[in-house]
């Protein structure tokens, strides 16, 4: 009973700030001291799905960038996390600290140097450039999460599979990945949400040619249309919530939780 009450309380606290946005998105005008709006409309949501608003364009581009960033972070973080988690080598502690540098240091400090390189390579203002800068904060999270998983990983399962004739690919797909699945889910969740909500890095690197949903929202905030801004804000929350629900369902699977360790 207490557990359910706490869960409900957490949900209320998390979603309470979204309630005014939901009301605003359907209101013609909501001014103090009105408790609820006097006029209601669907016009803001019609504008959201209108091509002229570019909201759907920003949604699609944000989704493409976030998914690509997540996949690339996994491809880099998986071998890096395995090496850090399972191997002992000189400078291991320093490497872990170095991985945290993009998180600790202000993004603007590293962004200036990256933008200079991207301009010289002719990549500034491209989707590829945006994905590259999004990898700066996502790879450290993915690597460190998987390093924690591999630190509790029993290599005996892999050795036994190889002794029974399994190929390296079969060991990876049928033994290793199922055991570290929770860590992959947690790392992917971090990577997706960080990339999905990233504005500053995208703003500087996109050169106005890559239009993501956070950039649409920032533009609308300058215009003073509270109803449309609220509708876009709610739209921007939905993909993250869906990804979070999928991750939550995966983590509730008792079979996959065996590989989570102390993450």
């Amino acid at each position: 009973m207490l557990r359910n009450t706490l869960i409900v309380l957490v949900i209320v606290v998390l979603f309470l700030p979204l309630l005014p946005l939901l009301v605003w998105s359907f209101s013609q005008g909501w001014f103090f001291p009105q408790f609820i709006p006097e006029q209601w409309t669907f016009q803001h949501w019609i504008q959201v799905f209108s091509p002229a608003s570019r909201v759907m364009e920003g949604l699609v581009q944000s989704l493409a960038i976030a998914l690509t960033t997540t996949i690339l972070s996994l491809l880099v973080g998986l071998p890096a996390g395995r090496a850090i988690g399972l191997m002992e080598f000189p400078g291991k502690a320093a490497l872990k600290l170095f991985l945290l540098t993009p998180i600790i240091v202000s993004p603007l400090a590293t962004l200036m140097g990256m933008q200079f390189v991207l301009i010289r390579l002719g990549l500034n203002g491209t989707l590829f450039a945006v994905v590259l800068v999004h990898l700066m904060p996502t790879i450290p999270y993915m690597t460190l999460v998987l390093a924690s998983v591999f630190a509790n990983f029993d290599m005996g399962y892999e050795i036994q599979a190889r002794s029974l004739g399994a190929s390296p690919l079969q060991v990876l797909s049928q033994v290793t990945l199922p055991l570290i699945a929770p860590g992959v889910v947690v790392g992917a969740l971090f990577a997706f949400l960080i990339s999905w909500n990233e504005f500053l890095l995208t703003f500087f690197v996109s050169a106005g040619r890559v239009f993501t949903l956070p950039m649409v929202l920032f533009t609308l905030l300058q215009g003073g249309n509270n109803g449309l801004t609220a509708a876009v804000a709610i739209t921007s929350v939905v993909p993250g919530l869906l990804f979070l629900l999928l991750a939550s369902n995966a983590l509730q699977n008792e079979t996959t939780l065996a590989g989570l360790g102390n993450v």
Side-chain angles (χ1 to χ4, degrees):
M1 181 65 180
L2 179 60
R3 179 174 176 270
N4 293 335
T5 303
L6 290 175
I7 292 175
V8 171
L9 182 61
V10 169
I11 292 175
V12 170
V13 171
L14 289 175
F15 287 94
L16 190 60
L18 296 178
L19 184 59
L21 291 178
L22 186 62
V23 175
W24 247 322
S25 69
F26 288 102
S27 66
Q28 188 67 39
W30 191 16
F31 307 103
F32 183 83
Q34 296 173 348
F35 182 71
I36 59 173
E38 295 181 353
Q39 295 180 313
W40 301 88
T41 180
F42 289 98
Q43 185 61 37
H44 305 308
W45 287 101
I46 293 174
Q47 287 181 267
V48 165
F49 294 99
S50 169
S53 68
R54 301 187 68 183
V55 175
M56 289 298 104
E57 176 188 345
L59 177 67
V60 171
Q61 292 206 14
S62 289
L63 192 59
I65 292 169
L67 290 176
T68 304
T69 301
T70 302
I71 293 171
L72 292 178
S73 297
L74 178 59
L75 292 177
V76 175
L78 183 59
R82 181 184 178 92
I84 294 174
L86 293 178
M87 299 172 61
E88 293 295 332
F89 51 88
K92 180 177 177 178
L95 178 59
K96 287 185 176 180
L97 182 62
F98 177 75
L99 283 172
L100 293 172
T101 303
I103 304 171
I104 299 172
V105 178
S106 170
L108 289 174
T110 53
L111 184 60
M112 293 177 63
M114 285 199 64
Q115 191 172 24
F116 177 80
V117 174
L118 292 172
I119 291 173
R120 288 299 183 95
L121 295 175
L123 296 174
N124 200 51
T126 63
L127 278 171
F128 181 69
V130 174
V131 171
L132 282 180
V133 296
H134 281 206
L135 289 174
M136 285 197 309
T138 57
I139 285 180
Y141 279 107
M142 182 72 77
T143 301
L144 292 174
V145 167
L146 290 177
S148 298
V149 175
F150 277 111
N152 300 280
F153 184 74
D154 185 359
M155 292 189 64
Y157 293 109
E158 293 185 343
I159 295 172
Q160 185 175 7
R162 291 300 303 273
S163 67
L164 294 173
S167 66
L169 184 59
Q170 288 175 319
V171 172
L172 176 64
S173 61
Q174 299 178 23
V175 178
T176 307
L177 287 180
L179 289 175
I180 66 168
V184 172
V185 171
V186 172
L189 178 62
F190 275 117
F192 181 87
L193 293 178
I194 291 170
S195 178
W196 177 262
N197 294 296
E198 183 57 57
F199 168 74
L200 186 63
L201 298 177
T202 308
F203 179 77
F204 279 95
V205 173
S206 67
R209 293 195 287 270
V210 180
F211 210 58
T212 62
L213 203 54
M215 294 185 67
V216 176
L217 188 56
F218 178 79
T219 303
L220 290 174
L221 285 171
Q222 315 305 310
N225 188 337
N226 292 334
L228 181 58
T229 303
V232 175
I234 292 174
T235 304
S236 69
V237 171
V238 171
L241 287 178
L242 291 176
F243 199 94
L244 183 60
L245 288 174
L246 291 174
S248 177
N249 289 334
L251 292 175
Q252 287 176 3
N253 189 328
E254 294 182 359
T255 302
T256 59
L257 280 175
L260 188 54
N262 294 326
V263 176

